[in-house]
Each structure stands twice: as structure tokens, then as C-alpha cells.
Amino acid sequence: MYAPSSSRIPEHALDVLRLTLAQQEAGLPCALAIMTSIEGGGVRAPGALMGVTAEGHTFGYLSGGCIDADVALRAQSALKTGTGRSLRYGAGSPFVDIQLPCGGAIEIAVCPDLSTDTLKTAIAHLEARQSIYVGIDRAYQLSIHEDKPSTEQLDLLFVANYRPQLQLRVVGSGAETIALARLAKAVGVGCIVQSHDETTLKAVEALGAFEGIKINGLNDLPDIEDDPSTAVVILYHDAAREGPLLKQALNGNAFYIGAVGSRNT
């Protein structure tokens, strides 16, 4: 049933978990390969995910291509036996025929026996824009935690922290606002656009999958709750409009707030 929703390579944990759940719910075996350790350089950080189907299809990625194919083969084997395992590539690896150009080492946990309920719980938290911790125990089972668990107390091999997908909230009108929304789409970042201008909102909504919110007046701004994975960019370049909008943004939890204009702005 392997059918990614777009041509963009699934990169965020939510993308990979959704595709993994889709396989499971269709009755098709699917394993998760999770990067647990990096020594030296690496394309991706610990916690990176790659889903592998019984047919060998993959979604997500772990490296620049030097280990992914071999991980997929070993994940297929794990699916047949139902037994998880840890893999090491590079320095100290038993796979001497697979060399890492960076000279370091990568460790991967392969989890073939996935709980559908656990996948659903993880997806629900990330869709609600809540950070989660995912633990891997010594039976290669996954557990979901809202707070960071103790690896010693729970006897976990590894704990990964997954945050919601990056989101951009753009406030403005005209060509700059539309261009920034288009860039967000190109790199796979979620985008909310707020504008008083109907033409801008229609142009943004025509890009697909983006939310446009009408601003009726600066004394009646739409309710918005920026979370720590959201960046806010105000593109009005109008002091009368910027004040209330910046005040609203500063009262939220966005990790970045920017406004077009001079250093004083």
C-alpha cells in the first residue's frame, strides 16, 4: 500500500509516523528505524526516523545514502522474525564493507513490532502541536511520554524528543506576504497568513493547504496562540498596524518574531 502523500521526502517525525500508521492500519507490516547515536558528523540528528515496509519501501531517511539501503534490508529481516535489533555502522561496526565517508559511527534501533495505539498517541500529540518524548526499551517497543523519562529507571535504550513541525505565521498583504507563503510551501513548513486584504488571502489559499485568516480591525485581532515551534513575521511595514500586532506576538510563545523595516522597527 506504500503511497507517500507528496513528492517531498518525509522528514519530520509526524510525516514518518503517519505513513507508518497508514501501513499498519492497512494490515501491512512496517518497521521503524530510529537513529540512536552519532559519533562524528552526520546528516541527521539522533531521533531521525525511517519507516520500512515488508516490501522494502522506505519513507524518511537516516543518512545521505551510505547506510539507508542496508538498514532497510535488515529491517525487512526483523519484520520477518518480529525481533528488533541494534545496528552500528562505521567505526567499530561488524559491517566492514559499509564505510562512512565522515569516519565516525552511527547506531540505529530497528523496531518491527509496533503498537498501533502507540503510533496514534504520538501522532495525536504532534498534531495538537505538543512536544513528546519517545522511549525505546530493550524489547524494541516504543513508549510515549509528555516529560523526559529516566532511561535508568525505565531501562530504556534511548529517548528521543520530537517537537511539532515548524510553522510560520505571516501577517501582512501583497507580494511579499504571498512570496513568503510560497517559500514556506516549497520547504514544507506549515503556514498561517493573516491579512486585511482579500486578494492576498485568496492568493495564499490558492497555494493549497495553508490557512488564511481575515483581520477585520486592529482593535479586534483574531485570537491566535503561537507555540514554541512557530515563527511570526510581520510584513506590513506600517507603524500604525505593527504596534498591536507586535504586542500580540510578544504575548505568545513564538521562538522568533520579526518585522520588515529598519533596525528601530
Side-chain angles (χ1 to χ4, degrees), residues 115-208:
S115 162
T116 298
D117 287 341
T118 300
L119 291 173
K120 287 181 177 179
T121 299
I123 291 168
H125 277 81
L126 291 172
E127 287 181 338
R129 303 197 62 75
Q130 299 167 352
S131 178
I132 58 169
Y133 292 90
V134 176
I136 306 173
D137 65 21
R138 296 187 184 277
Y140 296 92
Q141 295 291 317
L142 305 184
S143 56
I144 311 301
H145 310 266
E146 293 184 10
D147 299 310
K148 187 175 183 178
S150 167
T151 54
E152 292 79 13
Q153 291 178 352
L154 298 181
D155 197 24
L156 299 173
L157 292 171
F158 177 71
V159 174
N161 179 216
Y162 297 113
R163 299 180 63 180
Q165 290 176 303
L166 289 178
Q167 177 173 265
L168 182 64
R169 180 164 72 90
V170 186
V171 189
S173 64
E176 295 92 342
T177 299
I178 297 167
L180 189 53
R182 188 177 292 112
L183 284 172
K185 181 179 181 180
V187 298
V189 173
C191 187
I192 298 172
V193 175
Q194 293 178 296
S195 181
H196 72 285
D197 181 53
E198 291 283 1
T199 301
T200 298
L201 292 174
K202 288 179 180 178
V204 167
E205 290 169 357
L207 294 174

Coordinates of all heavy atoms in Angstrom, one line a residue, residues 115-208:
S115 N 3.1 -0.9 18.1 CA 1.8 -0.8 18.6 C 1.0 0.3 17.8 O 1.5 1.4 17.8 CB 1.8 -0.5 20.1 OG 0.5 0.0 20.5
T116 N -0.1 0.0 17.2 CA -0.9 1.0 16.6 C -1.4 2.1 17.5 O -1.4 3.2 17.2 CB -2.1 0.3 15.9 OG1 -1.7 -0.6 14.9 CG2 -3.0 1.3 15.2
D117 N -1.7 1.7 18.7 CA -2.2 2.6 19.7 C -1.1 3.6 20.1 O -1.3 4.8 20.3 CB -2.7 1.9 21.0 CG -4.0 1.3 20.8 OD1 -4.7 1.6 19.8 OD2 -4.4 0.4 21.6
T118 N 0.2 3.1 20.2 CA 1.3 4.0 20.5 C 1.5 5.0 19.4 O 1.8 6.1 19.6 CB 2.6 3.1 20.7 OG1 2.3 2.2 21.8 CG2 3.8 4.0 21.0
L119 N 1.5 4.5 18.1 CA 1.6 5.4 17.0 C 0.5 6.5 17.0 O 0.8 7.6 16.8 CB 1.6 4.6 15.7 CG 2.7 3.6 15.4 CD1 2.4 2.8 14.2 CD2 4.0 4.4 15.2
K120 N -0.7 6.1 17.3 CA -1.8 7.0 17.3 C -1.6 8.1 18.4 O -1.9 9.3 18.2 CB -3.1 6.3 17.5 CG -3.6 5.5 16.3 CD -4.9 4.9 16.6 CE -5.5 4.2 15.3 NZ -6.8 3.5 15.6
T121 N -1.1 7.7 19.5 CA -0.9 8.6 20.6 C 0.2 9.6 20.3 O 0.1 10.8 20.5 CB -0.4 7.8 21.9 OG1 -1.5 6.9 22.3 CG2 -0.1 8.8 23.0
A122 N 1.3 9.1 19.7 CA 2.4 10.1 19.2 C 1.9 11.0 18.2 O 2.2 12.3 18.3 CB 3.5 9.2 18.7
I123 N 1.1 10.6 17.2 CA 0.6 11.4 16.2 C -0.3 12.5 16.7 O -0.3 13.6 16.4 CB -0.1 10.6 15.1 CG1 1.0 9.7 14.3 CG2 -0.9 11.4 14.1 CD1 0.4 8.7 13.4
A124 N -1.2 12.0 17.6 CA -2.2 13.0 18.2 C -1.5 14.1 19.0 O -1.9 15.3 18.9 CB -3.1 12.2 19.2
H125 N -0.4 13.8 19.7 CA 0.3 14.9 20.4 C 0.9 15.8 19.4 O 0.8 17.1 19.6 CB 1.3 14.2 21.3 CG 0.8 13.8 22.6 ND1 0.2 12.6 22.8 CD2 0.9 14.4 23.9 CE1 -0.1 12.4 24.1 NE2 0.2 13.5 24.7
L126 N 1.6 15.3 18.4 CA 2.3 16.2 17.5 C 1.3 17.0 16.6 O 1.5 18.2 16.3 CB 3.2 15.4 16.6 CG 4.4 14.7 17.3 CD1 5.1 13.8 16.3 CD2 5.3 15.8 17.8
E127 N 0.2 16.4 16.3 CA -0.9 17.2 15.6 C -1.5 18.3 16.4 O -1.9 19.3 15.9 CB -2.0 16.2 15.1 CG -1.5 15.3 13.9 CD -2.6 14.4 13.4 OE1 -3.6 14.1 14.2 OE2 -2.5 14.0 12.2
A128 N -1.5 18.0 17.7 CA -2.0 19.1 18.6 C -0.9 20.1 19.0 O -1.1 20.9 19.9 CB -2.6 18.4 19.9
R129 N 0.2 20.0 18.3 CA 1.4 20.8 18.5 C 1.9 20.7 19.9 O 2.2 21.7 20.6 CB 1.1 22.2 18.1 CG 0.6 22.3 16.6 CD 0.7 23.7 16.0 NE 2.0 24.3 16.0 CZ 3.0 23.9 15.1 NH1 2.8 23.0 14.2 NH2 4.2 24.5 15.2
Q130 N 2.1 19.5 20.4 CA 2.6 19.2 21.7 C 3.9 18.4 21.6 O 4.0 17.4 20.8 CB 1.6 18.4 22.6 CG 0.3 19.2 22.8 CD -0.7 18.3 23.4 OE1 -0.6 17.1 23.5 NE2 -1.9 18.9 23.8
S131 N 5.0 18.8 22.3 CA 6.2 18.1 22.2 C 6.1 16.8 23.0 O 5.3 16.7 24.0 CB 7.3 18.9 22.9 OG 8.5 18.2 22.9
I132 N 6.7 15.7 22.5 CA 6.7 14.4 23.2 C 8.1 13.8 23.2 O 9.0 14.2 22.5 CB 5.8 13.4 22.4 CG1 6.2 13.2 21.0 CG2 4.3 13.8 22.5 CD1 5.6 12.1 20.2
Y133 N 8.2 12.8 24.1 CA 9.4 12.0 24.2 C 9.0 10.6 23.9 O 8.0 10.1 24.3 CB 10.0 12.1 25.7 CG 10.6 13.4 26.0 CD1 9.8 14.4 26.6 CD2 11.9 13.7 25.8 CE1 10.3 15.6 27.0 CE2 12.5 14.9 26.1 CZ 11.7 15.9 26.7 OH 12.2 17.1 27.0
V134 N 9.8 10.0 23.1 CA 9.6 8.6 22.7 C 10.7 7.7 23.2 O 11.9 8.0 22.9 CB 9.5 8.4 21.1 CG1 9.3 6.9 20.8 CG2 8.3 9.2 20.6
G135 N 10.4 6.7 24.0 CA 11.4 5.8 24.6 C 11.4 4.5 23.8 O 10.4 4.0 23.3
I136 N 12.6 3.9 23.7 CA 12.8 2.6 23.1 C 13.3 1.7 24.3 O 14.4 1.9 24.8 CB 13.8 2.6 22.0 CG1 13.4 3.6 20.9 CG2 13.9 1.2 21.4 CD1 14.5 3.8 19.8
D137 N 12.5 0.6 24.6 CA 13.0 -0.3 25.6 C 13.8 -1.4 25.0 O 14.1 -1.5 23.8 CB 11.8 -0.8 26.5 CG 10.9 -1.7 25.7 OD1 11.3 -2.2 24.6 OD2 9.7 -1.9 26.1
R138 N 14.3 -2.3 25.9 CA 15.2 -3.4 25.4 C 14.5 -4.5 24.6 O 15.2 -5.3 24.0 CB 16.0 -4.0 26.6 CG 16.8 -2.9 27.3 CD 17.7 -3.5 28.3 NE 18.4 -2.4 29.0 CZ 19.5 -1.8 28.5 NH1 20.1 -2.3 27.3 NH2 20.1 -0.8 29.1
A139 N 13.2 -4.4 24.5 CA 12.4 -5.3 23.6 C 12.1 -4.6 22.3 O 11.3 -5.1 21.5 CB 11.2 -5.8 24.3
Y140 N 12.6 -3.4 22.2 CA 12.4 -2.5 21.0 C 11.0 -2.1 20.8 O 10.4 -2.1 19.7 CB 13.0 -3.2 19.7 CG 14.5 -3.4 19.8 CD1 15.1 -4.5 20.3 CD2 15.3 -2.3 19.4 CE1 16.4 -4.7 20.5 CE2 16.7 -2.5 19.6 CZ 17.3 -3.6 20.1 OH 18.6 -3.8 20.2
Q141 N 10.3 -1.9 22.0 CA 9.0 -1.4 22.0 C 9.1 0.1 22.3 O 10.0 0.6 23.0 CB 8.1 -2.1 23.0 CG 7.9 -3.5 22.8 CD 6.9 -3.8 21.6 OE1 6.0 -3.1 21.4 NE2 7.3 -4.7 20.8
L142 N 8.1 0.9 21.7 CA 8.1 2.3 21.9 C 7.1 2.7 23.0 O 6.1 2.1 23.2 CB 7.7 3.0 20.6 CG 8.5 2.7 19.3 CD1 8.0 3.5 18.2 CD2 9.9 2.9 19.6
S143 N 7.4 3.8 23.7 CA 6.5 4.3 24.7 C 6.6 5.8 24.6 O 7.6 6.4 24.2 CB 7.0 3.9 26.1 OG 8.3 4.3 26.4
I144 N 5.4 6.5 24.8 CA 5.2 7.9 24.7 C 5.2 8.6 26.0 O 4.4 8.1 26.9 CB 4.0 8.2 23.9 CG1 3.9 7.4 22.6 CG2 3.9 9.7 23.5 CD1 5.1 7.5 21.7
H145 N 5.9 9.7 26.2 CA 5.9 10.4 27.5 C 5.8 11.9 27.2 O 6.4 12.4 26.2 CB 7.3 10.1 28.2 CG 7.6 8.7 28.3 ND1 7.2 7.9 29.4 CD2 8.2 7.8 27.4 CE1 7.7 6.7 29.2 NE2 8.2 6.6 28.0
E146 N 5.1 12.6 28.1 CA 5.0 14.0 27.9 C 6.2 14.7 28.5 O 6.6 15.8 28.1 CB 3.7 14.5 28.6 CG 2.4 14.1 27.9 CD 1.2 14.6 28.5 OE1 1.3 15.5 29.4 OE2 0.1 14.2 28.2
D147 N 6.8 14.1 29.6 CA 8.0 14.6 30.2 C 9.1 13.7 29.9 O 8.9 12.5 29.7 CB 7.8 14.8 31.7 CG 6.7 15.8 32.0 OD1 6.7 16.9 31.4 OD2 5.8 15.5 32.8
K148 N 10.4 14.1 29.9 CA 11.5 13.3 29.6 C 11.6 12.2 30.7 O 11.8 12.5 31.9 CB 12.8 14.1 29.6 CG 14.0 13.3 29.1 CD 15.2 14.2 29.0 CE 16.4 13.3 28.4 NZ 17.6 14.2 28.3
P149 N 11.6 10.9 30.2 CA 11.7 9.8 31.2 C 13.1 9.5 31.5 O 14.0 9.9 30.8 CB 11.0 8.7 30.4 CG 11.4 8.9 29.0 CD 11.3 10.5 28.9
S150 N 13.3 8.8 32.7 CA 14.7 8.4 33.1 C 15.0 7.1 32.4 O 14.3 6.1 32.5 CB 14.7 8.2 34.6 OG 15.9 7.5 35.0
T151 N 16.1 7.1 31.6 CA 16.5 5.9 30.9 C 16.9 4.8 31.9 O 16.6 3.6 31.7 CB 17.7 6.1 30.0 OG1 18.7 6.7 30.7 CG2 17.3 7.1 28.9
E152 N 17.4 5.2 33.1 CA 17.8 4.2 34.1 C 16.6 3.6 34.8 O 16.5 2.3 34.9 CB 18.7 4.8 35.1 CG 20.1 5.3 34.6 CD 20.0 6.6 33.9 OE1 19.0 7.3 33.9 OE2 21.0 6.9 33.2
Q153 N 15.7 4.4 35.2 CA 14.5 3.9 35.9 C 13.6 3.0 35.1 O 13.1 2.0 35.5 CB 13.7 5.0 36.5 CG 14.4 5.8 37.6 CD 13.6 7.0 38.1 OE1 12.5 7.3 37.6 NE2 14.0 7.6 39.2
L154 N 13.5 3.4 33.8 CA 12.6 2.6 32.9 C 13.4 1.6 32.0 O 12.8 0.9 31.2 CB 11.8 3.6 32.0 CG 10.8 4.5 32.7 CD1 10.1 5.4 31.7 CD2 9.9 3.8 33.6
D155 N 14.7 1.6 32.2 CA 15.5 0.6 31.5 C 15.4 0.8 30.0 O 15.1 -0.1 29.2 CB 15.3 -0.8 31.9 CG 16.4 -1.7 31.4 OD1 17.5 -1.3 31.3 OD2 16.1 -3.0 31.3
L156 N 15.5 2.1 29.5 CA 15.3 2.4 28.1 C 16.7 2.5 27.4 O 17.7 2.9 28.0 CB 14.6 3.7 28.0 CG 13.2 3.8 28.6 CD1 12.7 5.3 28.5 CD2 12.3 2.9 27.9
L157 N 16.7 2.0 26.2 CA 17.9 2.1 25.3 C 18.1 3.5 24.9 O 19.3 4.0 24.8 CB 17.8 1.2 24.1 CG 17.8 -0.3 24.3 CD1 17.4 -1.0 23.0 CD2 19.1 -0.8 24.8
F158 N 17.1 4.3 24.7 CA 17.2 5.6 24.0 C 15.9 6.4 24.2 O 14.8 5.8 24.3 CB 17.5 5.4 22.5 CG 17.6 6.7 21.8 CD1 18.6 7.6 21.9 CD2 16.6 7.1 20.9 CE1 18.7 8.8 21.2 CE2 16.6 8.2 20.1 CZ 17.7 9.1 20.3
V159 N 16.0 7.7 24.3 CA 14.9 8.6 24.4 C 15.0 9.7 23.4 O 16.1 10.3 23.3 CB 14.7 9.2 25.8 CG1 13.5 10.2 25.8 CG2 14.4 8.1 26.8
A160 N 14.0 9.9 22.5 CA 14.1 10.9 21.5 C 13.0 12.0 21.9 O 11.9 11.6 22.3 CB 13.8 10.4 20.1
N161 N 13.3 13.2 21.6 CA 12.4 14.3 21.8 C 11.9 14.8 20.4 O 12.7 15.2 19.6 CB 13.0 15.5 22.6 CG 12.1 16.6 22.8 OD1 12.6 17.8 22.8 ND2 10.8 16.4 23.0
Y162 N 10.6 14.8 20.2 CA 10.0 15.3 18.9 C 9.2 16.5 19.2 O 8.3 16.4 20.1 CB 9.2 14.1 18.3 CG 10.1 12.9 17.9 CD1 9.9 11.7 18.5 CD2 11.1 13.0 16.9 CE1 10.7 10.6 18.2 CE2 11.8 12.0 16.6 CZ 11.7 10.7 17.2 OH 12.5 9.7 16.9
R163 N 9.4 17.5 18.5 CA 8.7 18.7 18.6 C 7.7 18.9 17.4 O 7.9 18.2 16.4 CB 9.6 19.9 18.7 CG 10.5 19.9 19.9 CD 11.4 21.1 19.9 NE 10.7 22.4 20.1 CZ 11.2 23.6 20.1 NH1 12.5 23.7 20.0 NH2 10.4 24.6 20.2
P164 N 6.7 19.7 17.5 CA 5.8 19.9 16.4 C 6.5 20.4 15.2 O 7.6 21.0 15.3 CB 4.8 20.9 16.9 CG 4.8 20.8 18.4 CD 6.2 20.4 18.7
Q165 N 5.9 20.2 14.0 CA 6.5 20.7 12.8 C 6.6 22.3 12.9 O 5.8 22.9 13.5 CB 5.7 20.4 11.6 CG 5.7 18.9 11.3 CD 4.8 18.5 10.1 OE1 3.6 18.7 10.2 NE2 5.4 17.9 9.1
L166 N 7.7 22.8 12.3 CA 7.8 24.2 12.2 C 6.6 24.9 11.5 O 6.1 24.3 10.6 CB 9.1 24.6 11.5 CG 10.4 24.3 12.2 CD1 11.6 24.7 11.3 CD2 10.5 25.1 13.5
Q167 N 6.2 26.0 12.1 CA 5.1 26.7 11.5 C 5.5 28.2 11.4 O 6.1 28.8 12.2 CB 3.9 26.6 12.4 CG 2.7 27.3 12.0 CD 1.4 27.0 12.8 OE1 0.7 26.1 12.5 NE2 1.3 27.6 14.0
L168 N 5.0 28.8 10.3 CA 5.2 30.2 10.0 C 3.9 31.0 10.1 O 2.9 30.6 9.4 CB 5.9 30.4 8.7 CG 6.3 31.8 8.2 CD1 7.3 32.4 9.2 CD2 6.8 31.7 6.8
R169 N 3.8 32.0 10.9 CA 2.7 32.9 10.8 C 3.1 34.2 10.2 O 3.9 34.9 10.8 CB 2.1 33.1 12.3 CG 0.8 34.0 12.2 CD 0.1 33.9 13.5 NE 0.7 34.6 14.7 CZ 0.5 35.8 15.0 NH1 -0.3 36.6 14.3 NH2 1.2 36.3 16.1
V170 N 2.5 34.5 9.1 CA 2.8 35.7 8.3 C 1.7 36.7 8.4 O 0.5 36.3 8.2 CB 3.1 35.4 6.8 CG1 3.6 36.6 6.1 CG2 4.2 34.3 6.7
V171 N 2.0 37.9 8.8 CA 0.9 38.9 8.9 C 1.3 40.1 7.9 O 2.3 40.7 8.1 CB 0.8 39.5 10.3 CG1 -0.4 40.4 10.5 CG2 0.8 38.3 11.3
G172 N 0.4 40.3 7.0 CA 0.7 41.4 6.0 C -0.2 41.2 4.8 O -1.2 40.6 4.8
S173 N 0.2 41.9 3.7 CA -0.5 41.9 2.5 C 0.4 42.1 1.3 O 1.5 42.7 1.5 CB -1.6 42.9 2.5 OG -1.1 44.2 2.5
G174 N 0.0 41.7 0.1 CA 0.7 42.0 -1.1 C 1.8 40.9 -1.4 O 1.8 39.8 -0.9
A175 N 2.6 41.3 -2.3 CA 3.6 40.4 -3.0 C 4.5 39.7 -2.0 O 4.8 38.5 -2.1 CB 4.4 41.1 -4.0
E176 N 5.0 40.5 -1.0 CA 6.0 39.9 0.0 C 5.3 38.8 0.8 O 5.9 37.7 1.0 CB 6.5 41.0 0.9 CG 7.4 42.0 0.3 CD 6.5 43.2 -0.1 OE1 5.3 43.1 -0.2 OE2 7.1 44.3 -0.4
T177 N 4.1 39.0 1.2 CA 3.4 38.0 2.0 C 3.1 36.8 1.2 O 3.3 35.6 1.7 CB 2.0 38.6 2.5 OG1 2.3 39.7 3.3 CG2 1.2 37.6 3.3
I178 N 2.7 36.9 0.0 CA 2.4 35.8 -0.9 C 3.7 35.0 -1.2 O 3.8 33.8 -1.2 CB 1.8 36.2 -2.2 CG1 0.4 36.9 -1.9 CG2 1.6 35.1 -3.2 CD1 -0.2 37.6 -3.0
A179 N 4.8 35.8 -1.5 CA 6.1 35.1 -1.8 C 6.6 34.3 -0.6 O 7.1 33.2 -0.8 CB 7.1 36.2 -2.1
L180 N 6.4 34.8 0.6 CA 6.9 34.1 1.8 C 6.1 32.8 2.0 O 6.6 31.8 2.4 CB 6.9 35.0 3.0 CG 7.5 34.4 4.3 CD1 8.9 34.0 4.0 CD2 7.5 35.5 5.4
A181 N 4.8 32.9 1.8 CA 3.9 31.7 1.9 C 4.3 30.7 0.9 O 4.4 29.5 1.1 CB 2.5 32.1 1.7
R182 N 4.7 31.2 -0.3 CA 5.1 30.2 -1.4 C 6.4 29.5 -1.0 O 6.6 28.3 -1.2 CB 5.3 31.0 -2.7 CG 5.5 30.1 -3.9 CD 5.6 30.9 -5.2 NE 4.3 31.4 -5.6 CZ 4.0 32.7 -5.6 NH1 5.0 33.6 -5.2 NH2 2.9 33.2 -5.9
L183 N 7.4 30.3 -0.4 CA 8.6 29.7 0.1 C 8.4 28.7 1.2 O 9.0 27.6 1.2 CB 9.5 30.8 0.6 CG 10.2 31.7 -0.4 CD1 11.0 32.8 0.3 CD2 11.2 30.8 -1.2
A184 N 7.4 29.0 2.1 CA 7.1 28.0 3.2 C 6.6 26.7 2.6 O 7.0 25.6 3.0 CB 6.0 28.6 4.1
K185 N 5.8 26.8 1.6 CA 5.3 25.6 0.9 C 6.4 24.8 0.3 O 6.5 23.6 0.4 CB 4.2 26.0 -0.1 CG 3.6 24.7 -0.8 CD 2.6 25.1 -1.9 CE 2.0 23.8 -2.5 NZ 1.0 24.2 -3.5
A186 N 7.3 25.5 -0.3 CA 8.4 24.9 -1.0 C 9.3 24.0 -0.1 O 9.8 23.0 -0.5 CB 9.3 25.9 -1.8
V187 N 9.5 24.5 1.1 CA 10.3 23.8 2.1 C 9.5 23.0 3.0 O 10.1 22.3 4.0 CB 11.3 24.8 2.9 CG1 12.2 25.5 1.9 CG2 10.4 25.8 3.7
G188 N 8.2 22.9 2.9 CA 7.4 22.0 3.7 C 7.1 22.5 5.1 O 6.9 21.7 6.0
V189 N 7.1 23.8 5.2 CA 6.7 24.4 6.5 C 5.3 24.8 6.5 O 4.8 25.5 5.6 CB 7.7 25.6 6.8 CG1 7.2 26.4 8.1 CG2 9.1 25.2 6.9
G190 N 4.6 24.5 7.6 CA 3.2 25.0 7.7 C 3.1 26.5 7.8 O 4.0 27.1 8.3
C191 N 2.0 27.0 7.3 CA 1.9 28.5 7.2 C 0.5 29.0 7.5 O -0.4 28.4 6.9 CB 2.4 28.9 5.8 SG 2.5 30.7 5.6
I192 N 0.4 30.0 8.3 CA -0.8 30.7 8.6 C -0.6 32.1 8.1 O 0.4 32.8 8.4 CB -1.2 30.7 10.1 CG1 -1.4 29.3 10.6 CG2 -2.4 31.6 10.3 CD1 -1.6 29.2 12.1
V193 N -1.5 32.6 7.3 CA -1.4 34.0 6.8 C -2.6 34.8 7.3 O -3.7 34.4 7.1 CB -1.3 34.1 5.3 CG1 -1.4 35.5 4.8 CG2 -0.1 33.4 4.8
Q194 N -2.3 35.9 8.0 CA -3.3 36.9 8.4 C -3.2 38.2 7.6 O -2.1 38.7 7.5 CB -3.1 37.2 9.9 CG -3.4 36.0 10.8 CD -3.1 36.3 12.3 OE1 -2.0 36.6 12.7 NE2 -4.2 36.2 13.1
S195 N -4.3 38.6 7.1 CA -4.3 39.8 6.3 C -5.7 40.5 6.3 O -6.7 39.8 6.5 CB -3.9 39.5 4.9 OG -3.8 40.7 4.1
H196 N -5.7 41.8 6.1 CA -7.0 42.5 5.9 C -7.4 42.5 4.5 O -8.5 42.8 4.1 CB -6.8 44.0 6.4 CG -6.0 44.8 5.4 ND1 -4.6 44.7 5.4 CD2 -6.3 45.7 4.5 CE1 -4.1 45.5 4.4 NE2 -5.2 46.1 3.9
D197 N -6.4 42.0 3.6 CA -6.6 42.1 2.2 C -7.1 40.8 1.6 O -6.5 39.8 1.6 CB -5.3 42.5 1.5 CG -5.4 42.6 0.0 OD1 -6.3 43.4 -0.5 OD2 -4.6 41.9 -0.7
E198 N -8.3 40.8 1.0 CA -9.0 39.6 0.5 C -8.1 39.1 -0.7 O -8.0 37.8 -0.8 CB -10.4 40.0 0.0 CG -11.4 40.3 1.1 CD -11.9 39.0 1.8 OE1 -11.4 37.9 1.4 OE2 -12.7 39.1 2.7
T199 N -7.6 39.9 -1.5 CA -6.8 39.4 -2.6 C -5.6 38.6 -2.2 O -5.3 37.5 -2.7 CB -6.3 40.6 -3.5 OG1 -7.4 41.4 -4.0 CG2 -5.5 40.1 -4.7
T200 N -4.9 39.1 -1.1 CA -3.8 38.3 -0.6 C -4.2 37.0 0.0 O -3.6 36.0 -0.3 CB -3.1 39.2 0.6 OG1 -2.6 40.4 0.0 CG2 -2.0 38.4 1.2
L201 N -5.3 37.0 0.7 CA -5.8 35.7 1.3 C -6.2 34.7 0.2 O -5.9 33.5 0.4 CB -7.0 36.0 2.2 CG -6.7 36.8 3.5 CD1 -8.0 37.2 4.2 CD2 -5.8 36.0 4.4
K202 N -6.8 35.2 -0.8 CA -7.2 34.3 -1.9 C -6.0 33.7 -2.6 O -6.0 32.5 -3.0 CB -8.1 35.0 -2.9 CG -9.5 35.3 -2.4 CD -10.4 36.0 -3.4 CE -11.8 36.3 -2.9 NZ -12.6 37.1 -3.9
A203 N -5.0 34.5 -2.8 CA -3.8 34.1 -3.5 C -3.1 33.0 -2.6 O -2.5 32.0 -3.1 CB -2.8 35.3 -3.7
V204 N -3.0 33.2 -1.3 CA -2.4 32.3 -0.4 C -3.2 31.0 -0.3 O -2.6 29.9 -0.4 CB -2.2 32.9 1.0 CG1 -1.8 31.9 2.0 CG2 -1.2 34.0 1.0
E205 N -4.5 31.1 -0.2 CA -5.3 29.9 -0.1 C -5.2 29.1 -1.4 O -5.3 27.8 -1.4 CB -6.7 30.2 0.2 CG -6.9 30.7 1.6 CD -8.2 31.4 1.9 OE1 -9.0 31.4 1.0 OE2 -8.5 31.8 3.1
A206 N -4.9 29.7 -2.6 CA -4.8 29.0 -3.8 C -3.6 28.2 -3.9 O -3.5 27.3 -4.7 CB -4.8 30.1 -5.0
L207 N -2.6 28.5 -3.0 CA -1.4 27.7 -2.9 C -1.7 26.3 -2.4 O -0.9 25.3 -2.6 CB -0.3 28.3 -2.1 CG 0.2 29.7 -2.6 CD1 1.1 30.3 -1.5 CD2 1.0 29.5 -3.9
G208 N -2.7 26.1 -1.6 CA -3.2 24.9 -1.1 C -2.6 24.6 0.3 O -1.4 24.9 0.6

